[in-house]
Amino acid sequence: MKPSKGCCGCCSALRPRYKRLVDNIFPVNPEDGLVKSNMEKLTFYSLSSPDKLDRIGEYLYQKATKDINRKRYKLAEIAMEAMDLLLQACHAQTTLNLFVESFLRMVQKLLEDSNPNLKIMATNSFVKFANINEDTPSYHRRYDFFISKFSSMCHSDAASLRDSLRLAGIKGLQGVIRKTVSDDLVENIWEAQHMEKIVPSLLFNMQFCVNVMFVKKNLLASGDLTPVEDATNVTPPALAEEVLRELVGRASFGHIRSVLKPLLTHLDRHELWVPNTFAIHTFRIVMISIQPQYSYTVVETLMQHLDSNFKSSPKTRTSLAVVLSKIIAIAAGESVGPSALDIINNLLTHLRTSVSTTTEITPEESQYQEALINALGEFANHHPDYQKIEIMLFIMNTVPDLSKKSRGDQMLQNILLKSLLKVGTQYSTVSFEKAFPASFLQPLLKMARAPHDPTRMVVMQIFQALLDRHQNEQVLSSVSVKPYPALSQEPPSRSDIIFTHKYGANIMQALIDSMALSDRVDALTSSFNTAALLIVEMSCNETVQEFLLFILGIQQVASTVDTLGNVHKCNLHAISIALLVLISRVSGINNLLDYAQKIVDARREEATHFLPPLLEPKKMSGKNLNLALPHLSIDKLALGECLQNAGMDAQRLNTGTPYTLNQTDHPGHRHSWVESVSTQLTQRNSSADLTVYNGDVDSVSSSPGVCKKLLAPEFNFEAMKRALAEPTEAAKREQRERQMQIVRNFREGEFDDLMRRTEPKHDLIQNRLNELFNSLAVERQITQSDNKAAQLQASNEKPIYETNFPELFYY
């Protein structure tokens, strides 16, 4: 035995030194653990001889493989621990790449075994390796095995150590992400085959291991998205959420879709859209973690997914739209210009598709449409006001034309206008000129005359949202002649007064047409609310006469239009007196208020049906209502006297005519001086206007954009001030009325009368032309006689050179 023992010792002495150093780190009893003194010797040797690292790693791997095959797991754990210590000590060596190959083979060997402790240890070793920054790139490493293995560990259902294995799997995926994202030379982690394993594994742990009630509590909090974690230990849901944040945060523009596609697929396969608590939670994590400039991509991808689910149940589509509305506000801050309008266009497309594909709107489909509208409103709310105007104009241009009267088109009009209203409620009006540009106001006024009652009511709500700068909409929501104690008012600015002069007549004309279209109480109340807000926001000394003509116009429609029902006429009378009381209060004209109060008192005694509240047509259908009460009407002359007694000008009220029904001769704002000049030339060229010829018309009208000012009969300060100002809408209206009178005279007048009106002018011109021709003929005769006399005189006289120098011509 002794010779054999000596032979064995002799053979041991002949072995390489690195093998002897590796053998010495293993204890006699595996339970004692790594021999640390010998491990220090091995580490020192590795640092002094880095070329031996690859051999040391290979030898450790061979010993660990034998120990694992023989189920000696403690020795395998010691070998793995030694590899970790060598890796940490020698990570700066240039030859580390060769050692890493052995290290990864050992990690793989431990992961392949069924022992859960070996798997956890191998995973922890891999995470330590992933946190090392290598100086030299690696060209040949592949991590597909580790991705598959760590993903399978994330789904572990083992009775023992289940949470530990899942935590290890999530940590391993985190290590793979960190190791591969920072190194472009290794395998591309963003490929679909890898993302389809990583993302579902993370979502699985977030979905099934998370406390759902705690997630809901987080969602109901004020935007706080702290990870769901235990008070003491990190749980698989918390770690999975952290890894998902890191993965999304590291994704570039070209890779973010690689993360979103498996995320949406997982939600579809496991039917996690209904209820959508988990989906909202997940997408909020994505939107907060993603780089801000790429957030638009998430919204676009979710919209495309909504496109692909157009045949899904309304509940699923509604949940998708709700998720979109929850996250779209985050992307709104980063989307400007075309991208913002692209999102709006996609949302409107979904709305149109919803309306066109359903013959009957069910409650579930209505919820889906409301979710889309809310998403649109949330998106617009995070844009500046000037972009909100562009969005509203874009939506208005997509509304079907009023000529399309089918039920589907009316439903689409209503839905799109609700979308417009959602954006309008987010807009903070400062100047009406900016809130109502001509390109937006004109189609909106056209929609205010729509035959469909719900469409008109939505249009009125849009006006109310944009007009109500002082939160008076609720106060003025009912027709009443009682005072409004909570009314908030501020004098209009100069720009608002100019806006009223330009477009006030158009708006009030549209309101009158709207009131005459239907006798529904809610529609009339909505129109009254809009008119009341218009009066409160724009009432001043310069506009009060126009508003009084508007009130008289409502009363005239109620009195003269025979096609309206009796209840409808009574309601219009009630609206007119309610607006008169309102304007007298907000303008502060006491004489006007006293007159309005007298009418109210008289109507209370004789005709209460001429006073608010409005009458329901169905309830009053069988009752006889007396409408022939002219002494209870608002009198135009009395209104003018009230203004004059208050020291105000009443010329426009006295000379102008009240608004009439379906009056469409109110021109919009002229955008260029060319149009204004052409309008003036059209007015000048009428031959009937030659009888009122004024000598300075040509000189004034020849200047572009300059209109002739008509002086008032009395030349006080106010009259001169009005003459110097730009022509008001009232002056324009009078000029149009005069032109219409001229046209009627030519169309309806007798031929002899027209000859008499034009004959004096023709004789005057002919006499003037004859005088000019005679003078030219006389001047021509005088010129010819002078030329003949000069020639005769020249022939009788000697040449001048003969007279001055006679000696030169002697012979």
Side-chain angles (χ1 to χ4, degrees):
M1 295 296 296
K2 290 183 179 179
S4 64
K5 183 179 179 181
C7 180
C8 183
C10 179
C11 292
S12 176
L14 295 176
R15 300 182 68 190
R17 185 183 178 187
Y18 73 89
K19 287 188 178 182
R20 283 182 282 137
L21 291 174
V22 170
D23 291 337
N24 292 336
I25 66 174
F26 292 94
V28 178
N29 183 10
E31 300 296 333
D32 294 339
L34 182 68
V35 180
K36 298 197 174 173
S37 58
N38 293 335
M39 186 65 214
E40 292 177 358
K41 294 178 183 179
L42 178 61
T43 304
F44 179 77
Y45 177 78
S46 301
L47 291 173
S48 58
S49 302
D51 56 317
K52 296 293 193 298
L53 264 177
D54 58 329
R55 300 181 184 181
I56 295 173
E58 181 64 25
Y59 186 58
L60 280 171
Y61 168 72
Q62 292 176 1
K63 289 182 69 67
T65 302
K66 293 179 181 179
D67 293 333
I68 291 174
N69 293 336
R70 296 172 184 175
K71 305 297 181 182
R72 296 185 294 190
Y73 295 125
K74 287 294 181 181
L75 294 177
E77 292 177 4
I78 292 173
M80 190 72 254
E81 184 181 357
M83 293 281 268
D84 289 343
L85 293 174
L86 288 175
L87 187 69
Q88 294 296 326
C90 306
H91 67 273
Q93 300 294 335
T94 56
T95 58
L96 185 64
N97 269 336
L98 298 176
F99 177 75
V100 168
E101 293 302 319
S102 301
F103 173 83
L104 292 177
R105 287 169 63 193
M106 181 176 286
V107 172
Q108 180 175 344
K109 188 66 178 178
L110 267 64
L111 289 174
E112 289 174 347
D113 196 80
S114 59
N115 190 330
N117 291 325
L118 289 183
K119 292 181 180 180
I120 295 173
M121 186 176 186
T123 304
N124 293 333
S125 299
F126 183 84
V127 172
K128 294 176 183 177
F129 162 70
N131 291 329
I132 295 177
N133 294 324
E134 300 181 62
D135 296 332
T136 57
S138 56
Y139 299 91
H140 53 282
R141 290 184 198 161
R142 296 184 62 85
Y143 295 96
D144 49 352
F145 167 80
F146 297 101
I147 294 173
S148 300
K149 195 63 182 179
F150 291 143
S151 298
S152 65
M153 291 171 63
C154 291
H155 294 79
S156 175
D157 285 329
S160 61
L161 300 177
R162 188 192 68 173
D163 288 347
S164 298
L165 285 172
R166 290 186 177 183
L167 277 173
I170 297 170
K171 289 180 181 179
L173 291 178
Q174 186 180 31
V176 173
I177 293 169
R178 290 178 178 177
K179 201 63 182 175
T180 54
V181 169
S182 58
D183 193 351
D184 295 334
L185 298 175
V186 298
E187 188 174 6
N188 187 5
I189 193 66
W190 304 108
E191 291 182 359
Q193 57 180 344
H194 301 319
M195 285 291 107
E196 289 174 358
K197 299 174 182 176
I198 295 175
V199 175
S201 301
L202 299 176
L203 295 176
F204 173 81
N205 284 272
M206 294 170 60
Q207 170 193 351
F208 291 104
C209 300
V210 71
N211 187 340
V212 177
M213 295 303 297
F214 192 68
V215 171
K216 290 183 178 180
K217 190 182 298 183
N218 276 354
L219 292 175
L220 293 176
S222 56
D224 188 11
L225 288 175
T226 55
V228 183
E229 53 189 11
D230 198 348
T232 55
N233 300 322
V234 177
T235 59
L239 186 60
E241 183 176 322
E242 180 184 347
V243 176
L244 182 62
R245 289 174 184 269
E246 185 175 350
L247 178 66
V248 174
R250 290 174 178 266
S252 63
F253 178 76
H255 298 146
I256 189 61
R257 296 183 187 273
S258 302
V259 181
L260 296 176
K261 185 176 180 181
L263 190 153
L264 294 171
T265 303
H266 181 83
L267 295 175
D268 288 339
R269 287 177 177 174
H270 297 274
E271 299 180 352
L272 298 176
W273 293 112
V274 182
N276 58 2
T277 304
F278 178 72
I280 294 174
H281 180 65
T282 304
F283 271 97
R284 277 183 169 174
I285 292 173
V286 172
M287 293 300 293
I288 291 176
S289 305
I290 197 173
Q291 300 181 41
Q293 63 270 26
Y294 305 149
S295 57
Y296 168 73
T297 308
V298 182
V299 176
E300 187 179 36
T301 305
L302 194 55
M303 284 187 173
Q304 292 174 356
H305 194 67
L306 187 59
D307 285 337
S308 61
N309 283 270
F310 73 97
K311 292 185 178 180
S312 301
S313 64
K315 286 186 177 181
T316 302
R317 287 183 281 119
T318 302
S319 297
L320 271 165
V322 171
V323 174
L324 189 62
S325 66
K326 297 294 183 181
I327 68 168
I328 200 169
I330 304 175
E334 301 298 329
S335 60
V336 294
S339 61
L341 294 180
D342 188 29
I343 291 178
I344 296 296
N345 187 36
N346 286 336
L347 291 172
L348 296 178
T349 301
H350 288 301
L351 284 172
R352 286 193 292 268
T353 304
S354 173
V355 174
S356 60
T357 55
T358 55
T359 56
E360 196 171 322
I361 299 297
T362 61
E364 294 179 349
E365 194 70 26
S366 179
Q367 290 178 359
Y368 168 63
Q369 295 171 358
E370 290 294 332
L372 289 175
I373 293 173
N374 290 334
L376 194 150
E378 287 293 331
F379 180 74
N381 188 31
H382 289 74
H383 282 82
D385 284 344
Y386 74 91
Q387 278 195 313
K388 291 177 185 175
I389 291 295
E390 292 180 359
I391 292 173
M392 287 192 289
L393 181 58
F394 182 80
I395 296 174
M396 177 56 73
N397 291 332
T398 62
V399 178
D401 190 75
L402 290 177
S403 59
K404 301 178 179 179
K405 298 181 180 180
S406 65
R407 186 173 180 273
D409 290 323
Q410 290 180 353
M411 290 169 54
L412 184 57
Q413 289 172 2
N414 198 16
I415 290 295
L416 294 178
L417 288 175
K418 283 184 178 180
S419 305
L420 183 59
L421 174 62
K422 192 69 176 181
V423 180
T425 53
Q426 311 292 346
Y427 180 79
S428 300
T429 304
V430 177
S431 171
F432 291 122
E433 187 176 6
K434 295 180 179 178
F436 294 101
S439 56
F440 174 65
L441 180 61
Q442 291 176 358
L444 193 62
L445 293 177
K446 187 177 180 181
M447 295 301 298
R449 298 178 171 92
H452 193 217
D453 291 339
T455 301
R456 291 199 315 276
M457 293 174 63
V458 176
V459 172
M460 292 303 153
Q461 292 175 2
I462 295 171
F463 271 112
Q464 293 157 18
L466 297 176
L467 287 172
D468 188 16
R469 293 184 298 189
H470 299 90
Q471 289 71 49
N472 294 319
E473 191 269 333
Q474 290 296 328
V475 180
L476 301 171
S477 59
S478 60
V479 184
S480 174
V481 292
K482 298 178 181 179
Y484 300 98
L487 199 63
S488 176
Q489 189 185 6
E490 182 181 353
S493 62
R494 187 62 190 169
S495 64
D496 292 340
I497 296 175
I498 294 175
F499 174 83
T500 308
H501 291 330
K502 287 182 179 179
Y503 303 115
N506 302 66
I507 298 175
M508 289 184 282
Q509 184 61 55
L511 289 175
I512 288 182
D513 294 341
S514 176
M515 292 179 188
L517 284 173
S518 174
D519 60 352
R520 285 179 52 177
V521 173
D522 52 356
L524 290 174
T525 304
S526 182
S527 299
F528 165 81
N529 195 347
T530 305
L533 287 172
L534 187 70
I535 290 174
V536 171
E537 293 292 341
M538 300 184 183
S539 178
C540 64
N541 292 340
E542 299 183 38
T543 60
V544 66
Q545 296 185 74
E546 203 69 25
F547 287 130
L548 291 177
L549 287 175
F550 167 59
I551 294 171
L552 291 172
I554 299 175
Q555 179 179 267
Q556 183 174 343
V557 170
S559 303
T560 59
V561 179
D562 298 331
T563 56
L564 302 181
N566 291 339
V567 177
H568 195 178
K569 293 180 179 180
C570 293
N571 288 337
L572 291 181
H573 281 292
I575 290 175
S576 62
I577 189 61
L579 291 177
L580 180 61
V581 173
L582 176 65
I583 193 173
S584 59
R585 291 185 184 277
V586 298
S587 62
I589 306 175
N590 294 328
N591 295 333
L592 194 61
L593 180 59
D594 294 338
Y595 174 70
Q597 195 61 43
K598 290 180 182 178
I599 297 177
V600 171
D601 295 339
R603 290 185 179 184
R604 280 176 181 164
E605 294 180 0
E606 300 183 39
T608 55
H609 52 275
F610 276 13
L611 290 174
L614 301 183
L615 306 176
E616 289 286 350
K618 294 182 180 179
K619 296 180 181 179
M620 305 296 295
S621 58
K623 295 185 180 180
N624 187 16
L625 301 174
N626 185 12
L627 302 178
L629 300 171
H631 61 285
L632 297 180
S633 301
I634 303 172
D635 186 54
K636 178 180 177 181
L637 297 178
L639 294 179
E641 291 179 1
C642 292
L643 294 183
Q644 290 176 352
N645 294 335
M648 298 176 61
D649 179 33
Q651 180 185 2
R652 166 66 184 142
L653 181 62
N654 294 330
T655 58
T657 57
Y659 288 81
T660 58
L661 189 63
N662 298 326
Q663 186 175 350
T664 58
D665 59 343
H666 299 291
H669 174 61
R670 292 192 292 264
H671 293 278
S672 65
W673 63 267
V674 177
E675 296 180 13
S676 62
V677 171
S678 63
T679 304
Q680 294 162 17
L681 290 176
T682 303
Q683 296 170 0
R684 265 182 47 202
N685 288 339
S686 177
S687 59
D689 211 18
L690 293 174
T691 57
V692 292
Y693 174 79
N694 195 351
D696 60 347
V697 171
D698 291 329
S699 62
V700 173
S701 298
S702 62
S703 300
V706 178
C707 298
K708 183 180 182 300
K709 312 295 190 300
L710 298 176
L711 296 178
E714 64 278 358
F715 294 95
N716 51 23
F717 177 76
E718 290 296 330
M720 296 300 295
K721 182 179 178 181
R722 287 193 302 273
L724 292 175
E726 288 294 327
T728 62
E729 189 66 32
K732 296 177 182 178
R733 188 191 298 274
E734 293 177 1
Q735 189 175 11
R736 288 192 299 272
E737 291 173 357
R738 187 174 66 253
Q739 184 179 2
M740 292 299 295
Q741 182 63 33
I742 294 172
V743 173
R744 283 194 294 269
N745 290 337
F746 269 86
R747 288 178 178 175
E748 302 172 2
E750 297 291 337
F751 180 74
D752 296 336
D753 184 25
L754 295 178
M755 288 295 295
R756 284 194 299 270
R757 295 183 62 183
T758 56
E759 186 177 359
K761 182 64 66 175
H762 292 165
D763 293 344
L764 180 62
I765 294 175
Q766 187 64 40
N767 294 336
R768 182 59 178 168
L769 289 175
N770 292 335
E771 291 178 3
L772 290 175
F773 291 149
N774 292 334
S775 62
L776 290 175
V778 172
E779 185 177 355
R780 188 180 299 109
Q781 292 177 359
I782 294 174
T783 304
Q784 291 176 357
S785 61
D786 290 342
N787 291 337
K788 291 180 180 179
Q791 293 175 2
L792 181 61
Q793 184 179 0
S795 61
N796 295 332
E797 292 180 357
K798 293 181 179 181
I800 188 172
Y801 50 81
E802 293 184 7
T803 304
N804 293 335
F805 308 100
E807 66 276 4
L808 295 178
F809 299 96
Y810 292 161
Y811 296 96

